[in-house]
Amino acid sequence: MTGEDDRDKKIEELNKTIEMLKFSQAQQAQAEKMKIIDEFAHGLSHEVKNPLAIILQGVDYLTTKVNMADPSIGSTIEYMKDAIKRADKVIGDFLDFSSMSPLELETADLSAITDNSLELVRHQLEAHHIEITREFQPGVPLVMIDKNKIAQVLVNLFLNAVQAMPEGGKIAVKISSVKSQAGKIMVKLEIDDNGPGIPEDDLLRAFDFFFTTKRSKGNIGLGLSTVKTIIDMHGGEIKLENKKDDNGVKITIILKAGQ
Ligand SMILES: Nc1ncnc2c1ncn2[C@@H]1O[C@H](COP(=O)(O)OP(=O)(O)OP(=O)(O)O)[C@@H](O)[C@H]1O
Ligand SMILES: [Mg+2]
């Protein structure tokens, strides 16, 4: 082995160590963040969920005492019940999110998981006349991921695209391999839709907890925060942007190739 080969090998090893260190630091920061969110969610649950249950019981009791046949009374009580149940669901969903289980990592084929996830939303795709194009580069390396959580990411992203194009549109899904700055092979997943896109101000808030422009449709705005959390837990990257040359949103996810 020449001196140059030896030096290259050492640099490569150093780069690998730096990457591993960065990954474990990111995971630790993520675990601390999740712990704070979990504590907050449980506090919130105690302070809000229990009183909501008492209010709902009270409203149920009142329905036996008032004249529900009177349309103004009946509809008011029904509105109150719906509002209480909705608030309860928001807290419940937040609790589910905050108590996200640790990753169960295994090597997996991202193309297969993407196809499975498309199958899970097939009904919505068909109902809204969404055309899917898949461009999966052959020979893309396997990834080290939690299959269920990555499927959760994909389903959330596909549903967002469908909801942005209720009258029909196109979703393009691409999987390819790319090299990181440190020369490491990474797997890139791109999801493009041709809906209306996201106004610039909203782009900055799209990953925030409870940010939604679809509240009136019953959405609560935890989809993209869940997506971001899961990708962060994997030490991956996610970018959300409006397409430059066309209408619609482009999402790019980069994951490490796994051995
Ligand atoms: N593909 C998209 N096209 C247009 N807007 C989008 C797209 N994806 C996300 N958004 C915008 O980002 C917001 C936040 O998305 P997110 O998935 O977090 O919440 P949501 O879809 O509103 O609710 P939930 O996912 O909890 O049902 C959406 O309300 C919408 O305004
Ligand atoms: Mg969503």
Side-chain angles (χ1 to χ4, degrees):
M1 194 186 274
T2 66
E4 211 165 293
D5 284 344
D6 198 30
R7 205 193 54 205
D8 284 353
K9 201 163 169 272
K10 280 196 178 128
I11 291 176
E12 196 185 311
E13 271 167 16
L14 198 64
N15 276 335
K16 261 193 196 158
T17 316
I18 292 171
E19 287 228 9
M20 273 167 57
L21 211 62
K22 271 194 198 157
F23 180 58
S24 71
Q25 269 177 344
Q27 283 221 315
Q28 202 183 338
Q30 188 59 34
E32 275 163 22
K33 207 162 79 184
M34 289 306 289
K35 197 168 157 250
I36 295 169
I37 294 171
D38 196 35
E39 278 166 13
F40 172 65
H42 279 87
L44 193 70
S45 164
H46 183 73
E47 295 298 331
V48 183
K49 230 172 158 20
N50 299 347
L52 282 178
I54 295 168
I55 298 170
L56 190 58
Q57 274 172 15
V59 173
D60 278 340
Y61 170 73
L62 287 180
T63 57
T64 64
K65 297 289 167 197
V66 296
N67 178 15
M68 288 294 281
D70 178 334
S72 67
I73 295 180
S75 64
T76 305
I77 297 253
E78 283 313 315
Y79 279 139
M80 287 168 72
K81 277 188 174 180
D82 281 352
I84 297 164
K85 284 179 186 159
R86 192 171 147 68
D88 189 63
K89 183 175 179 319
V90 171
I91 308 273
D93 285 354
F94 191 46
L95 263 179
D96 284 350
F97 165 76
S98 71
S99 53
M100 200 182 286
S101 53
L103 294 183
E104 288 176 29
L105 292 174
E106 56 186 309
T107 40
D109 175 4
L110 190 59
S111 306
I113 291 161
T114 306
D115 278 338
N116 290 345
S117 309
L118 280 170
E119 192 52 36
L120 292 176
V121 294
R122 186 161 58 94
H123 181 70
Q124 280 92 333
L125 296 172
E126 284 173 3
H128 294 278
H129 313 287
I130 308 287
E131 193 189 307
I132 297 285
T133 8
R134 297 153 63 262
E135 212 181 295
F136 297 171
Q137 184 189 314
V140 169
L142 298 176
V143 277
M144 181 65 94
I145 52 171
D146 181 317
K147 290 206 265 186
N148 290 332
K149 290 200 170 63
I150 293 295
Q152 201 184 340
V153 163
L154 290 161
V155 166
N156 266 308
L157 297 176
F158 292 141
L159 287 182
N160 276 350
V162 174
Q163 289 160 7
M165 307 182 292
E167 309 300 335
K170 290 182 184 159
I171 299 178
V173 193
K174 258 197 212 174
I175 297 178
S176 55
S177 56
V178 286
K179 262 196 181 167
S180 74
Q181 276 182 341
K184 244 190 145 201
I185 302 282
M186 313 290 275
V187 176
K188 178 158 89 167
L189 169 81
E190 293 161 280
I191 301 177
D192 285 31
D193 64 53
N194 68 344
I198 304 182
E200 287 303 317
D201 284 353
D202 292 355
L203 261 184
L204 301 172
R205 295 185 290 162
F207 288 116
D208 290 355
F209 297 121
F210 301 119
F211 174 75
T212 180
T213 55
K214 299 177 276 186
R215 206 170 296 287
S216 62
K217 299 198 174 83
N219 296 66
I220 63 166
L222 275 180
L224 284 179
S225 14
T226 306
V227 164
K228 172 94 171 75
T229 303
I230 293 175
I231 298 300
D232 285 351
M233 285 166 93
H234 282 82
E237 284 168 34
I238 179 161
K239 192 160 91 182
L240 175 74
E241 60 194 327
N242 285 311
K243 286 194 286 188
K244 291 180 183 72
D245 44 358
D246 200 359
N247 283 344
V249 166
K250 179 184 191 69
I251 288 138
T252 310
I253 293 177
I254 310 264
L255 292 169
K256 285 194 306 229
Q259 294 83 27

